[in-house]
Amino acid sequence: MSNKQQLLSFLMNAEEPISGEHLSEQLGVSRTMIWKYIKSLKEDGHEVEAIKKKGYVLKQLSSQLSVETVSPYLETTHFARALYYLESCPSTQFVANELLVKGKGMHGLVVVSEEQTAGKGRLNRQWVSSKGKGLWTTWIVKPDLLPHEAPPITLVVALALAKAIHSTTGIQVDIKWPNDLLIDGKKVGGILTELQATPDKIEAILLGIGINVLQAEEELNQDLTKRATSLAIECDTPVDRTKLLAAMANELEQAITTFETQGFRRFQVEWERHSTMIGKKVTATTVRETIQGIALGLNEHGALLVQTGDGVRTLFSGDVTLSGKLDTFS
Amino acid sequence: MSNKQQLLSFLMNAEEPISGEHLSEQLGVSRTMIWKYIKSLKEDGHEVEAIKKKGYVLKQLSSQLSVETVSPYLETTHFARALYYLESCPSTQFVANELLVKGKGMHGLVVVSEEQTAGKGRLNRQWVSSKGKGLWTTWIVKPDLLPHEAPPITLVVALALAKAIHSTTGIQVDIKWPNDLLIDGKKVGGILTELQATPDKIEAILLGIGINVLQAEEELNQDLTKRATSLAIECDTPVDRTKLLAAMANELEQAITTFETQGFRRFQVEWERHSTMIGKKVTATTVRETIQGIALGLNEHGALLVQTGDGVRTLFSGDVTLSGKLDTFS
């Protein structure tokens, strides 16, 4: 942690004003340096007040996501330790890809943008990412996995996100195979996994993760054929994007590390508990066909097993809805 | 085909001088335009002579690889119809990746560089790509395949390359699983396959293909622990890089189209005929371990089956050598 980050961390945890002298001792730097760090924190958008004869107080954290604001909540070694923040970009996947091409895409780096002007979901579908209202992110992951072991990672990530949202807001999140996060049947987030690999080695996985956080009802559901929600709609208390981003980093790093060493089997039971689909009649549309049957569960590769009249079918990806319901997601 | 390409094609196929008037009629452009195309062809390095009162004669094709010189030999719809030629670059994979990020990497485009300053083989191993002596290429492929169907493509490509070399030079090429081309046990070429995919869709496959064409014996085998060869060393008649590149395009397009519709099974028998390893005792080193056994053959996913004391092992990638022999390849 840099001195500036440490200073912010002290201020965040303090219950009363901290004197410049005390900070100077704690960090082992001059009073002048402390004054410079405080100035720099203010420039980042933090409200720091200097109370005469008492010291500094943090009145309000910057709402801008940054390494400084996120790191006090991190329990990770790599995830979100590098944070690439943008006001706007075409899509965070695009930016992450550019960083990789330039050789700057280290493991655990997260790209966060306040807005995406060309955000994409699965199958190139549009993903609305309105300014400042969500967490629009791409995480660069270079896991210790062979390429053929990678596919279930989307499901592992979905579980980690459900946990991160639950620990931050108390909300129970369901998972819709393979890559959607739902609250009471309404979409609150999604995952777009992009693999870059040679036959021997995963070069990188780009985890595109979008979470609706602060949108109001009327912003989300102008198109009545889709049902979406945000954490703010579902939660009584205000949702802190900074804490949520840190919780995502913590859960992602832990889950992916476990997946590397123990594989998907370790997640199977927990995953099925978060799914609303297992044991029910479903309609599944893949890139090639539409089938109907009973969703039996997942195999060890994370593929969905569907019992049809012609036997058990194995789906690697697709859109699955409970039969008889409208397909309300895109 | 552009007018300029068509003009070059006429000159290449002509058995006697062609008059400017005739060319002007054939192409439906003015005599002035014909003169401009001829000038431009000369600038590309083609030797075109104007014989008084008779017309133009192509004395010598440019040795530079270009859409103009390659296209008369093409039987393809997409492959090598776009050709991105460079004097030098770090690696053609890198350039192809940049084209993809910029949205300019169309299906079938080939990047060809006279030299690679940081060419790479499997597992980041150095690949020497000396100036003007080989075909150092990356082919951008956007196949009609689901991501889990992609892995055998390296083997399909190896077969296509063996055919292209055979049809151009008459040389019999063997395949060393998974990605090397050999002549009498000496390495003449290699393939580096890079997949970019989401769970639903292959965004692109970058086929890095390097072939040693014009090197002399002493250029290749300074390091005695490696045995390599070039087509020029093995072939009595001069090897034309332009024709070889076109043959590669033709065989690759045909093979990949067949693979899309019929899968790897269609190639299995032919592949095993080109392999020197099947039925023999081998030592296989993967990223994780070293095993010994008998190479039984391939499964339908292109994985190598090895009979060991502990049962049949399935290898997705690795270095395989005949037991008792030095590992002569890197």
Side-chain angles (χ1 to χ4, degrees):
Chain A
M1 228 191 276
S2 73
N3 281 337
K4 185 176 141 191
Q5 279 172 255
Q6 248 184 302
L7 196 159
L8 182 62
S9 181
F10 283 138
L11 292 175
M12 286 167 74
N13 294 314
E15 294 180 0
E16 46 190 47
I18 317 181
S19 70
E21 196 181 336
H22 183 71
L23 287 168
S24 158
E25 274 167 25
Q26 288 290 316
L27 295 174
V29 299
S30 69
R31 293 285 299 270
T32 313
M33 282 310 294
I34 295 293
W35 181 82
K36 284 188 181 171
Y37 292 142
I38 296 282
K39 186 162 172 267
S40 169
L41 287 173
K42 285 179 178 173
E43 284 164 4
D44 292 344
H46 304 288
E47 283 180 44
V48 184
E49 197 183 342
I51 301 175
K52 241 183 178 168
K53 297 205 176 154
K54 288 190 163 175
Y56 297 106
V57 173
L58 180 66
K59 303 290 276 190
Q60 176 81 51
L61 261 181
S62 170
S63 65
Q64 182 180 309
L65 300 158
S66 67
V67 167
E68 279 78 18
T69 54
V70 173
S71 66
Y73 305 109
L74 290 179
E75 295 154 12
T76 61
T77 308
H78 299 289
F79 276 58
R81 290 295 174 182
L83 190 153
Y84 196 86
Y85 174 86
L86 297 156
E87 283 289 336
S88 180
C89 68
S91 78
T92 54
Q93 293 295 93
F94 179 83
V95 173
N97 221 333
E98 278 190 323
L99 289 174
L100 280 173
V101 167
K102 288 178 194 155
K104 292 180 182 171
M106 71 265 265
H107 175 64
L109 182 144
V110 59
V111 179
V112 186
S113 184
E114 291 295 351
E115 177 184 50
Q116 297 184 107
T117 54
K120 292 272 178 279
R122 268 181 58 227
L123 296 172
N124 241 0
R125 292 164 182 163
Q126 194 196 358
W127 178 281
V128 178
S129 330
S130 48
K131 191 147 194 161
K133 295 299 172 75
L135 282 177
W136 321 127
T137 66
T138 292
W139 304 72
I140 294 178
V141 186
K142 300 184 171 178
D144 188 14
L145 292 169
L146 294 173
H148 69 276
E149 298 169 332
I153 200 167
T154 305
L155 310 178
V156 170
V157 167
L159 254 186
L161 296 177
K163 282 188 180 179
I165 292 172
H166 185 256
S167 71
T168 315
T169 66
I171 298 170
Q172 193 62 43
V173 177
D174 297 322
I175 301 174
K176 176 166 169 286
W177 185 90
N179 72 325
D180 285 333
L181 300 174
L182 309 183
I183 300 172
D184 283 338
K186 288 170 281 182
K187 183 156 166 175
V188 72
I191 304 158
L192 180 68
T193 313
E194 195 185 321
L195 173 71
Q196 302 191 357
T198 63
D200 299 280
K201 191 166 168 280
I202 294 176
E203 299 296 330
I205 294 176
L206 301 186
L207 294 175
I209 297 174
I211 312 262
N212 295 334
V213 183
L214 300 170
Q215 292 97 328
E217 183 72 43
E218 55 276 18
E219 284 178 77
L220 282 173
N221 293 320
Q222 291 175 348
D223 179 348
L224 291 175
T225 63
K226 293 166 191 168
R227 290 195 307 158
T229 190
S230 73
L231 297 179
I233 295 169
E234 305 293 333
C235 191
D236 298 331
T237 52
V239 182
D240 183 333
R241 289 195 309 160
T242 304
K243 285 184 186 167
L244 179 57
L245 186 67
M248 285 164 65
N250 295 339
E251 295 293 347
L252 284 170
E253 184 165 297
Q254 207 190 347
I256 290 170
T257 307
T258 304
F259 177 53
E260 285 173 337
T261 51
Q262 300 178 45
F264 182 63
R265 273 176 226 269
R266 167 71 182 66
F267 296 87
Q268 213 152 340
V269 173
E270 202 178 351
W271 193 94
E272 292 185 1
R273 211 167 48 218
H274 276 81
S275 168
T276 51
M277 214 159 259
I278 304 306
K280 299 196 179 138
K281 210 173 158 190
V282 295
T283 303
T285 309
T286 72
V287 180
R288 295 205 175 139
E289 60 182 343
T290 296
I291 63 170
Q292 293 198 310
I294 308 290
L296 297 177
L298 304 179
N299 72 9
E300 81 262 32
H301 305 297
L304 184 68
L305 304 174
V306 179
Q307 176 74 58
T308 72
D310 299 333
V312 177
R313 301 290 303 274
T314 304
L315 303 189
F316 294 94
S317 187
D319 292 311
V320 183
T321 48
L322 293 176
S323 292
K325 280 205 179 183
L326 266 175
D327 183 356
T328 50
F329 310 107
S330 76
Chain B
M1 227 189 278
S2 72
N3 281 337
K4 185 176 142 192
Q5 279 172 256
Q6 247 185 305
L7 196 160
L8 182 63
S9 182
F10 283 138
L11 292 174
M12 285 168 74
N13 295 314
E15 295 183 356
E16 45 189 47
I18 317 181
S19 72
E21 196 182 336
H22 183 71
L23 286 168
S24 156
E25 275 169 23
Q26 288 289 317
L27 294 175
V29 299
S30 69
R31 292 287 297 273
T32 313
M33 282 310 293
I34 295 294
W35 181 81
K36 285 187 180 170
Y37 292 143
I38 296 282
K39 186 162 170 267
S40 169
L41 288 173
K42 285 179 178 173
E43 284 164 3
D44 292 343
H46 304 288
E47 282 181 42
V48 184
E49 197 182 341
I51 301 175
K52 242 184 180 171
K53 298 205 177 156
K54 289 191 165 175
Y56 298 105
V57 173
L58 179 67
K59 304 290 276 189
Q60 175 82 51
L61 261 181
S62 170
S63 65
Q64 182 180 309
L65 299 159
S66 67
V67 168
E68 280 77 16
T69 54
V70 173
S71 65
Y73 304 109
L74 290 180
E75 296 154 11
T76 61
T77 309
H78 298 290
F79 276 60
R81 291 296 174 182
L83 190 153
Y84 195 87
Y85 174 87
L86 296 156
E87 284 288 335
S88 181
C89 68
S91 79
T92 55
Q93 292 294 95
F94 178 83
V95 173
N97 221 334
E98 279 191 323
L99 289 173
L100 280 173
V101 167
K102 288 177 193 156
K104 291 179 180 170
M106 71 264 265
H107 175 64
L109 180 146
V110 59
V111 178
V112 186
S113 184
E114 291 294 351
E115 177 184 50
Q116 296 185 107
T117 54
K120 292 273 178 279
R122 267 182 57 227
L123 296 173
N124 240 1
R125 292 163 182 165
Q126 193 195 1
W127 179 280
V128 178
S129 330
S130 48
K131 190 145 196 162
K133 295 299 172 76
L135 283 177
W136 321 128
T137 66
T138 292
W139 305 72
I140 294 177
V141 186
K142 298 182 174 181
D144 188 12
L145 293 169
L146 294 174
H148 69 276
E149 298 169 333
I153 200 169
T154 305
L155 310 178
V156 170
V157 167
L159 254 185
L161 296 176
K163 281 187 180 179
I165 291 173
H166 186 256
S167 71
T168 314
T169 65
I171 298 171
Q172 193 62 44
V173 176
D174 297 321
I175 301 174
K176 175 167 169 286
W177 187 89
N179 72 326
D180 285 334
L181 300 174
L182 309 183
I183 300 173
D184 284 339
K186 288 170 282 184
K187 183 157 167 174
V188 72
I191 304 157
L192 179 69
T193 313
E194 194 184 322
L195 173 71
Q196 301 190 356
T198 62
D200 299 279
K201 191 165 168 281
I202 293 176
E203 298 296 329
I205 293 177
L206 301 186
L207 293 174
I209 297 174
I211 313 264
N212 295 333
V213 183
L214 300 170
Q215 292 96 328
E217 183 72 43
E218 55 275 20
E219 284 178 77
L220 282 174
N221 292 320
Q222 293 174 345
D223 179 347
L224 291 173
T225 62
K226 294 167 191 169
R227 289 196 308 157
T229 190
S230 74
L231 297 178
I233 295 170
E234 306 292 333
C235 190
D236 298 332
T237 53
V239 181
D240 184 332
R241 288 195 310 161
T242 304
K243 286 184 184 167
L244 178 57
L245 186 67
M248 285 164 64
N250 296 339
E251 295 292 347
L252 284 170
E253 184 165 297
Q254 208 189 346
I256 290 170
T257 307
T258 304
F259 177 53
E260 284 173 338
T261 53
Q262 300 178 44
F264 182 63
R265 274 175 226 268
R266 168 70 183 67
F267 295 88
Q268 212 153 342
V269 173
E270 202 178 352
W271 193 95
E272 293 186 0
R273 212 166 47 221
H274 276 81
S275 167
T276 51
M277 214 159 257
I278 305 304
K280 299 197 178 136
K281 208 174 161 190
V282 296
T283 302
T285 309
T286 73
V287 180
R288 296 207 175 139
E289 59 182 345
T290 295
I291 61 169
Q292 293 198 312
I294 307 290
L296 297 176
L298 304 179
N299 71 10
E300 82 263 30
H301 304 297
L304 184 68
L305 304 174
V306 178
Q307 176 74 58
T308 71
D310 300 333
V312 177
R313 300 291 303 273
T314 305
L315 302 188
F316 294 94
S317 188
D319 293 312
V320 183
T321 48
L322 293 176
S323 292
K325 279 204 179 181
L326 267 175
D327 183 356
T328 51
F329 310 107
S330 77

